[in-house]
Amino acid sequence: MAKLQIRKVGDEALRKVCRPVDAITPRVLTLLDDMVETMRTANGVGLAAPQVGILRRIVVIEVEPGEVIELINPKIIAYSGEQDGQEGCLSVPGRWGMVKRPMHVTVRALNRKGEEFEITGHELLARCFCHELDHLDGGLYIDKAYAMDEDDE
Ligand code: ZN
């Protein structure tokens, strides 16, 4: 596995609409593994492929340590409720902001075997689904955030 370089705000890869994955090749599997390692090394709970410069619809999430969720071509198919909470992003270091998100979010995606599955997240996981899927369409949480905060350095 290899640690990938995380693109930072201002990098145009973060503003592109990503293409779907049409075949789960060994390259896609390697990318998933490398994204998980990169996310863990950076102490993140989620990472989207454009954050490492790959314009494909791939996301990895690890809200519960040891429970990695890999999403290929994910789509939000249902959501409900509302929550306000603070978000940060590995591509926007040192900054935080409040974002309104749904409380419950159901995503349909492919797993690494190419099988379709659905997963429902609540609270932080629901927030994470929304944040990471926004990345696939060039969205950053700072577009939606209010009350931005910066780390003192
Ligand atoms: Zn992010």
Side-chain angles (χ1 to χ4, degrees):
M1 290 203 279
K3 187 177 165 293
L4 305 170
Q5 197 198 329
I6 297 178
R7 306 292 181 96
K8 301 289 160 43
V9 63
D11 188 305
E12 64 176 25
L14 296 173
R15 292 306 191 175
K16 303 279 192 197
V17 175
C18 296
R19 295 185 305 275
V21 173
D22 35 41
I24 300 179
T25 59
R27 237 173 113 183
V28 169
L29 301 180
T30 301
L31 175 62
L32 285 166
D33 292 340
D34 289 348
M35 284 175 63
V36 170
E37 183 179 347
T38 304
M39 167 179 70
R40 286 178 167 166
T41 304
N43 294 313
V45 295
L47 189 70
Q51 292 183 275
V52 292
I54 308 287
L55 301 181
R56 290 288 179 174
R57 303 188 82 81
I58 298 175
V59 161
V60 297
I61 289 172
E62 190 176 29
V63 165
E64 294 292 330
E67 289 179 31
V68 172
I69 301 168
E70 297 174 333
L71 303 171
I72 299 168
N73 298 344
K75 278 197 178 74
I76 292 175
I77 56 167
Y79 62 91
S80 62
E82 206 173 80
Q83 57 171 323
D84 282 276
Q86 203 173 42
E87 282 182 35
C89 179
L90 295 175
S91 294
V92 189
R95 297 176 72 193
W96 308 89
M98 296 292 291
V99 188
K100 197 177 283 296
R101 299 285 193 186
M103 183 59 102
H104 314 283
V105 174
T106 301
V107 170
R108 180 182 293 155
L110 299 178
N111 65 19
R112 61 164 57 220
K113 294 175 185 160
E115 299 159 344
E116 193 173 84
F117 70 104
E118 289 177 13
I119 181 168
T120 299
H122 312 283
E123 299 181 16
L124 179 59
L125 184 53
R127 173 174 299 282
C128 210
F129 285 152
C130 295
H131 177 118
E132 299 308 331
L133 269 63
D134 280 353
H135 275 298
L136 303 181
D137 291 312
L140 293 175
Y141 84 93
I142 49 176
D143 306 337
K144 304 180 170 176
Y146 59 96
M148 287 297 295
D149 227 353
E150 271 178 59
D151 281 350
D152 300 318
E153 289 189 46

